[in-house]
Structure formats: C-alpha cells, structure tokens
C-alpha cells in the first residue's frame, strides 16, 4: 500500500463583534468540494511548514498556527493508497483572501453551523467539530 501525507489547517478569524468565530472554507477546483487548505508535504518540510506554505499559497493569508491542536484524518483516495492529512488550527492575521485560482475556485468565511453544513465530506465535518470544541473550551 502506498502512503501519502498532506498537512493543512482549519483557518479561523474573529468576526466583527470579536467573539464570533468564522471559519475559512475553500472550494477546490479539482473535484469542486468544500474543505480546508491542505497540500502534500515537500522534501525537507515539517508538518507545520507544509501547513503554513499551503495556507499562504492557496489563500495569501498570514496566520498564527496552533500546533497544540493536531488531528490526523486517514482515508483512501484511490485503491492501494492510504493518505494521512494532518490538520492544525490557525488564526488568520489578515482579512483579505487572495485565492490561488489554479487550485481554489471559491472561498467563504462562515460561522460554525454554516461551515459545518457547507463542508462536503463528513470527515472534514468531524475535524471542524473538534476545532470548534478546542476554540470554545474555555467558555
């Protein structure tokens, strides 16, 4: 079985009232699904380096990556391939998204419930639920 590894992040920002969390979802050109930023680990990169690079490439955003939140999603994208996607959580330091049109057809900043509904895959919904719990654990 061939193993693949990608890294990404659940990117969020604080909304206008500073207590409303909004999550960034991107619509991928390849497949048209709504998900999070992520991409393959390149030679010599750490998981966090990959996540930061992919966020910058796909959205143009500068973020603060929280490596205390680390979730692994394992699935088989094709026969004979097992893929691990490592997700961190990242707070956006910018407001303006500059999408990478080669990979990203659309994006949206959404509150939790709307983001949950928009995500295409149930495994991404599970990761978002964990991220929401993580961000609201002190409330």
């Amino acid at each position: 079985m061939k193993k693949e590894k990608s890294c990404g992040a659940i990117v969020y920002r604080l909304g206008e009232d500073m207590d409303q969390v909004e999550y960034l979802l991107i619509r991928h050109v390849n497949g048209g699904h709504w998900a999070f930023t992520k991409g393959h680990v390149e030679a010599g990169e750490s998981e966090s380096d990959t996540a930061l690079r992919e966020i910058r490439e796909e959205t143009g955003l500068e973020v603060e990556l929280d490596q205390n939140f680390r979730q692994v999603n394992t699935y088989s994208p094709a026969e004979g391939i097992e893929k691990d996607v490592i997700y961190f959580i990242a707070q956006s330091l910018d407001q303006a998204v500059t999408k990478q049109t080669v990979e990203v057809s659309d994006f949206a900043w959404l509150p939790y419930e709307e983001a949950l509904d928009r995500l295409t895959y149930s495994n991404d919904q599970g990761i978002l639920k964990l991220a929401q719990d993580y961000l609201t654990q002190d409330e």
Side-chain angles (χ1 to χ4, degrees):
M1 170 129 351
K2 182 181 174 197
K3 288 284 286 180
E4 293 183 357
K5 184 177 183 181
S6 290
C7 297
I10 294 88
V11 177
Y12 73 96
R13 70 179 182 187
L14 296 177
E16 297 287 324
D17 56 9
M18 298 305 284
D19 66 349
Q20 170 74 40
V21 174
E22 295 175 328
Y23 294 96
L24 178 64
L25 301 185
I26 62 171
R27 186 169 194 175
H28 293 266
V29 168
N30 183 11
H33 59 285
W34 285 91
F36 309 112
T37 59
K38 72 176 189 308
H40 286 83
V41 176
E42 294 182 358
E45 276 187 329
S46 68
E47 292 176 351
S48 59
D49 288 342
T50 300
L52 289 168
R53 177 181 51 76
E54 287 294 333
I55 293 165
R56 267 191 315 275
E57 286 177 0
E58 294 180 2
T59 68
L61 293 173
E62 292 297 323
V63 300
E64 187 174 295
L65 197 70
D66 183 345
Q67 295 181 61
N68 292 318
F69 179 92
R70 182 184 180 278
Q71 297 295 322
V72 181
N73 179 18
T74 302
Y75 66 99
S76 177
E79 190 174 330
I81 299 173
E82 184 176 81
K83 184 171 187 172
D84 287 338
V85 181
I86 288 77
Y87 284 109
F88 300 103
I89 198 163
Q91 183 172 4
S92 176
L93 304 174
D94 298 325
Q95 295 300 312
V97 173
T98 306
K99 65 183 172 125
Q100 181 186 38
T101 55
V102 163
E103 293 188 37
V104 179
S105 64
D106 201 2
F107 71 91
W109 289 104
L110 299 169
Y112 173 69
E113 292 295 337
E114 288 180 46
L116 201 58
D117 288 343
R118 178 89 50 107
L119 285 166
T120 302
Y121 299 117
S122 61
N123 53 4
D124 287 338
Q125 291 171 331
I127 297 284
L128 181 61
K129 288 175 184 174
L130 294 171
Q132 175 74 3
D133 290 346
Y134 180 81
L135 289 175
T136 58
Q137 67 188 350
D138 294 334
E139 292 181 2

